[in-house]
Each structure stands twice: as structure tokens, then as C-alpha cells.
Amino acid sequence: MKAIIMAGGKGTRITSVASDVPKPMIQIEGKPVLEREIECLRDQGFRDLIITVSHLADTIINYFGDGSRFGVHIEYFKEETPLGNAGALLKMRDKLTSPFLLLNADSIFDINFNRFVGYHQKKGGLVTLFTHPNSHPYDSGVLIVDNNNAVEQWLTKEDERPQWYANRVNAGLHVINPAALDMSDIDVEMVGTEGADGKIIKVDLDRQILKPLCGSGKMFCYDSPEYVKDMGTPDRYETVCTDYSKGLVEAKNLNNKQKAVFLDRDGTINKHVGFLSNIDDFELLPGVPEAIREINEKGFLAIVVTNQPVIARGEATYKQLQEIHNKMETLLGLKGAYLDGIYFCPHHPHKGYEGEVPELKIECDCRKPKPGLILKAARDFNIDLSQSWIIGDGENDIRAGKAAGCKTTLIGVGNYEQDKTVESLEDFVKCI
Ligand SMILES: [Zn+2]
């Protein structure tokens, strides 16, 4: 599969870090960002690259040449006039005969590309967006998906958004089928020429190519906890350098074993109110966002595992539960904390109640104290369970954790042979 790297951006906000080099050539630990990206692709078998260049193009071309020095083959598409970030794609449409990766050289990433591409193939859409939760969803654009992860709405940070929304942010990495480029009515011949208003006609990828696919069922989100960060400002650049030196960037690649903190929901994250089915009853416990933020910063995945028999009992629908989880993510996001996954068991074993959903009244493998939810998350995210924790306020959490092979922490009182006992999630994060 071909990979196209968009390296034509100007990088005006980062000129205080390095004013004479194009953004993709800015060094992190002595190596240009773009070189790190190329190595990451090469090591996973992506060796056929096209780099689109404009601003200070020669610096990039002179350094990478035909790519042979780096074990890859590189072609360049040089923009003489700025075409917008998707103009080049339309201009080289003939060369694009099969799905390709489209990556942004302005961000630093280290991800499992084959897993990403595999997901795209499984979904069978025209476009797959790499999406992730971040620590500032309130001032980021967010994507709203249906229950098949197809994009329904693409909200920019300026757009009005629902009160509660999932923390799902576009990271600027894509798998694209060339047919997606043919769906707009842009006149390719005119791109790069002067329009009627005297301005050069450009093409914007997000606005003109991708956003129109919302609601078509042909564009999907690939949710991943891997490291992708924009380094467009001096502050963000600083953060990326620190993360690199700590080994965090590579560690989060899902090719590598992950460590996780599995979090029970009711009584651990939010106030225990019995069977919670009314969204107004959902309230975070004090100190929880700060604690989850620390879990995020320490390089653990934060994954909720929760029994929600309210679904089987007919007290809440999947949609209502989703809305409650959106509220949880929104409230956490406002304090800079995020979850990497939410796994719930909708089942309940005892039949014969009014209003219940009969097909969910079963003995399943996922209801804690069974370890099914944890084991599924471990498969999905390549988690080393022996390096991971479960924390919860009940015996079921401890037993599920033990059955899965995790270290265990109980909030509150009781002896279920847990490894640790604490008073709150906040107490727990101090000791990991
Ligand atoms: Zn279950």
C-alpha cells in the first residue's frame, strides 16, 4: 500500500523553535520528524511513499532523495502554487489506483499501521479516519458516530455541539480509497489557477473531500489509544520531545504490550446510586478526573469495565447508556482526563421480570466477576494483564481482576484477597 505524506504546510506557529527549516525537518532527539515517520512506515512494510512538498521543498528533497538511503522509495509532488492540502491528491489521481495511507507530516506518530489498514478493510468503507481521545476535547473538533462507528457528524471546534459527546478527535491520519476523491464536483483543471475572485483555487481535504461523506455510511472512525500529537506550537513541540525522551511515543504503539488500569464505573468513577438509568443521576466522584488524568499521563490505558444490567432489565436502552457514557467522557474531558475504552456487560442472569429484554437474560461470559470484559479489552489493545490493575468498590471487581490475571485494588472495606485497599481512586493513583 502506498503512503502519501503531506509535508507542504508552512508551520508559521512554530517558527520560534526553528525558523529556517520546514516543519517536517524539525528535529526530535536529533532526528527530523519526517525521518521518524518514514522509519515507522518502513519497519511495518510501507516502503512506497509519495511526499507532497511546497514550502522550502528543496531542504526535504535534498535530505531524503529517492529514499534508498532510508530503505524506501520516495516520489515527490511539488506544488508550485499552493493547492490546499488535498489539491495534490486530485492532481495525481491517476497514480492512485488502490487504497492508500494519507498522513500529515505536522504531527508526530508511532502507530500500528497494519492494524489500522486491517480495520479499514474490515469495515469496507471509502475512508477511515484515525481517531483518539485527547486531553482537551472541549476545544478540539469531535466526530459523532453511529453504533457501527460510521461518521454521522463532523463538528469543528467552532460548531455548536451536543451537551454530552464522546471524546473522539480526528488525528489527521487516514486510509482512503481513491474513489472518495471522485465524489466531489471539484474541477481539477481549475485547482491552482486564479478563480473569479482573484484568489488561487485550493482544495481542503476535511471540508471538501471528507466532510461530505458524513452520514453516507462510507466513512468510519478507527479509535485508537496510540500516540499521535500535533507539534504545531512551541509548547506542543516541547511536550512531544519530553514524551519521546521518556519512551512514551513508541510504548503506545499497539505492536507493543500495553499496561492498563481497568476501572469499575458505579462507585469508582461516579456516585453509587443503585441501578443508574437516569442521566441526571450520573455525577463524578470528587478527585476522579484528576486521578484519571494521572493514569493517562503515566502511560496506562484507562479502560472502564462495568456491569450494566439496566439494559437487560429494560430500564435503559443502549442509546440511553451511550448518552450516560457521553456525559462521563464530557465531564472528564473538561478536566483534561480521558478514557481509552468503555466495555460494558448488558446482560443479567435471572429471568422473569416485567419489562426485561429476554435475549439479554442469559448467563454470559462478560458479567463481572467473570473476566470477559477484561479479556476482550486485553485482546483489542494487546494488554499485558500481569502489568495491569483493576480497581473497583466490590467483590465482583476483585474476582474478575484475579480471574484475568490483573493486580487488584478495592475501594472501601472488605477482604477479597485484593492486593491493595484504598479509600478512593485518587489514593490508588498515588501508588502506581
Ligand atoms: Zn455479559
Side-chain angles (χ1 to χ4, degrees):
M1 180 179 278
K2 266 192 171 66
I4 301 178
I5 306 178
M6 298 182 282
K10 272 216 164 78
T12 43
R13 285 181 301 170
I14 203 173
T15 45
S16 62
V17 175
S19 58
D20 53 340
V21 298
K23 214 151 129 188
M25 294 304 288
I26 289 174
Q27 298 200 347
I28 291 182
E29 302 240 295
K31 202 181 263 190
V33 173
L34 183 54
E35 186 175 347
R36 292 186 179 277
E37 293 174 355
I38 289 173
E39 286 175 347
C40 181
L41 286 161
R42 175 198 66 199
D43 293 346
Q44 298 180 66
F46 297 83
R47 298 195 173 89
D48 194 4
L49 313 181
I50 300 175
I51 303 181
T52 67
V53 288
S54 63
H55 181 63
L56 301 170
D58 292 341
T59 320
I60 295 175
I61 296 172
N62 292 340
Y63 187 87
F64 291 101
D66 66 0
S68 52
R69 195 158 69 87
F70 302 90
V72 294
H73 174 74
I74 303 178
E75 283 176 55
Y76 296 91
F77 183 93
K78 194 169 173 180
E79 295 181 7
E80 301 301 342
T81 53
L83 303 174
N85 61 357
L89 294 179
L90 298 183
K91 293 283 184 189
M92 60 180 155
R93 173 66 185 87
D94 316 346
K95 286 190 177 187
L96 306 171
T97 51
S98 54
F100 58 92
L101 278 170
L102 180 66
L103 312 171
N104 197 333
D106 288 359
S107 54
I108 187 77
F109 51 77
D110 192 338
I111 71 162
N112 181 336
F113 282 107
N114 288 300
R115 189 177 182 273
F116 181 25
V117 171
Y119 180 89
H120 174 76
Q121 287 162 345
K122 195 180 87 187
K123 286 294 184 185
L126 285 175
V127 172
T128 303
L129 308 171
F130 184 106
T131 45
H132 60 171
N134 76 8
S135 60
H136 50 99
Y138 49 86
D139 70 357
S140 305
V142 293
L143 293 154
I144 299 191
V145 300
D146 68 11
N147 54 15
N148 190 28
N149 252 26
V151 183
E152 285 186 328
Q153 288 182 70
W154 180 310
L155 301 174
T156 64
K157 60 179 167 184
E158 291 83 13
D159 290 333
E160 201 174 311
R161 59 181 67 189
Q163 184 182 16
W164 312 122
Y165 53 89
N167 185 342
R168 179 177 284 110
V169 178
N170 181 17
L173 315 180
H174 327 70
V175 186
I176 297 182
N177 287 18
L181 302 174
D182 305 333
M183 305 201 35
S184 72
D185 51 8
I186 298 162
D187 182 350
V188 184
E189 291 300 321
M190 296 304 289
V191 175
T193 65
E194 210 169 281
D197 58 358
K199 288 184 186 155
I200 302 288
I201 298 173
K202 300 179 190 175
V203 187
D204 184 74
L205 178 72
D206 289 359
R207 197 165 42 81
Q208 291 174 275
I209 308 283
L210 301 181
K211 247 179 141 172
L213 293 173
C214 287
S216 69
K218 291 182 173 137
M219 178 163 68
F220 294 91
C221 288
Y222 170 73
D223 298 326
S224 170
E226 294 167 298
Y227 196 100
V228 183
K229 259 191 197 151
D230 170 71
M231 40 153 237
T233 64
D235 279 355
R236 289 187 189 156
Y237 172 73
E238 200 72 30
T239 308
V240 167
C241 290
T242 311
D243 290 346
Y244 240 107
S245 64
K246 285 195 213 154
L248 264 182
V249 181
E250 189 193 0
K252 304 277 295 207
N253 184 317
L254 290 176
N255 280 313
N256 300 314
K257 281 283 176 195
Q258 304 295 306
K259 49 186 185 169
V261 174
F262 295 101
L263 301 145
D264 169 45
R265 200 192 79 181
D266 304 322
T268 299
I269 292 178
N270 54 290
K271 261 189 199 150
H272 205 295
V273 295
F275 294 111
L276 192 155
S277 57
N278 179 349
I279 192 165
D280 296 332
D281 293 337
F282 184 96
E283 214 178 302
L284 292 180
L285 287 163
V288 160
E290 293 76 10
I292 293 180
R293 199 170 65 207
E294 210 163 321
I295 292 169
N296 300 148
E297 285 166 0
K298 284 183 171 167
F300 284 85
L301 300 177
I303 298 175
V304 170
V305 286
T306 175
N307 289 349
Q308 290 303 326
V310 285
I311 304 281
R313 292 159 58 103
E315 293 163 2
T317 61
Y318 282 109
K319 207 167 173 222
Q320 286 165 327
L321 182 63
Q322 178 64 54
E323 195 58 10
I324 290 168
H325 289 164
N326 288 348
K327 181 174 181 181
M328 172 164 66
E329 288 201 70
T330 306
L331 294 176
L332 290 173
L334 287 171
K335 299 277 183 73
Y338 57 86
L339 300 167
D340 295 293
I342 300 173
Y343 290 75
F344 63 89
C345 163
H347 308 112
H348 192 258
H350 307 132
K351 283 191 185 131
Y353 296 87
E354 205 179 316
E356 68 186 16
V357 182
E359 64 272 22
L360 295 177
K361 286 287 192 170
I362 54 164
E363 273 291 344
C364 64
D365 294 322
C366 48
R367 182 173 161 82
K368 296 180 289 183
K370 295 210 175 126
L373 297 175
I374 302 174
L375 298 178
K376 172 144 194 347
R379 281 193 301 275
D380 290 349
F381 293 117
N382 193 20
I383 292 168
D384 178 352
L385 292 168
S386 69
Q387 295 300 310
S388 301
W389 289 90
I390 186 165
I391 176 160
D393 67 336
E395 180 179 2
N396 280 348
D397 302 312
I398 305 305
R399 282 172 59 198
K402 283 188 175 296
C406 298
K407 295 179 271 188
T408 55
T409 299
L410 181 76
I411 298 179
V413 278
N415 183 5
Y416 314 114
E417 296 176 9
Q418 66 272 20
D419 296 297
K420 250 185 222 310
T421 309
V422 296
E423 282 181 9
S424 66
L425 187 58
E426 227 178 350
D427 278 351
F428 163 75
V429 292
K430 286 183 202 135
C431 45
I432 53 167

Coordinates of all heavy atoms in Angstrom, one line a residue, residues 345-347 364 366-367, ligand 1:
C345 N -21.2 -4.9 30.2 CA -22.0 -6.1 30.1 C -23.4 -5.7 30.2 O -23.8 -5.2 31.3 CB -21.6 -7.1 31.2 SG -22.9 -8.4 31.3
P346 N -24.3 -5.9 29.2 CA -25.7 -5.6 29.2 C -26.6 -6.7 29.8 O -27.8 -6.5 29.9 CB -26.0 -5.3 27.7 CG -25.1 -6.4 27.0 CD -23.9 -6.5 27.8
H347 N -26.0 -7.8 30.1 CA -26.7 -9.0 30.5 C -27.2 -9.0 31.9 O -26.7 -8.3 32.8 CB -25.9 -10.2 30.1 CG -25.4 -10.2 28.8 ND1 -24.0 -10.1 28.5 CD2 -26.0 -10.3 27.6 CE1 -23.8 -10.1 27.2 NE2 -25.0 -10.2 26.6
C364 N -23.8 -15.0 30.8 CA -22.9 -14.6 29.8 C -21.4 -14.8 30.3 O -21.3 -15.2 31.5 CB -23.1 -13.1 29.4 SG -22.7 -12.1 30.8
C366 N -19.3 -12.2 30.2 CA -18.7 -10.9 30.5 C -19.2 -10.2 31.8 O -18.5 -9.2 32.2 CB -19.0 -9.9 29.3 SG -20.7 -9.9 28.6
R367 N -20.2 -10.7 32.4 CA -20.7 -10.1 33.6 C -19.7 -10.4 34.7 O -19.4 -11.5 35.1 CB -22.0 -10.6 34.0 CG -22.7 -10.0 35.2 CD -24.1 -10.5 35.4 NE -24.6 -10.3 36.8 CZ -25.0 -9.1 37.2 NH1 -25.1 -8.0 36.4 NH2 -25.4 -9.0 38.5
Ligands
ZN1 ZN -22.4 -10.1 29.9

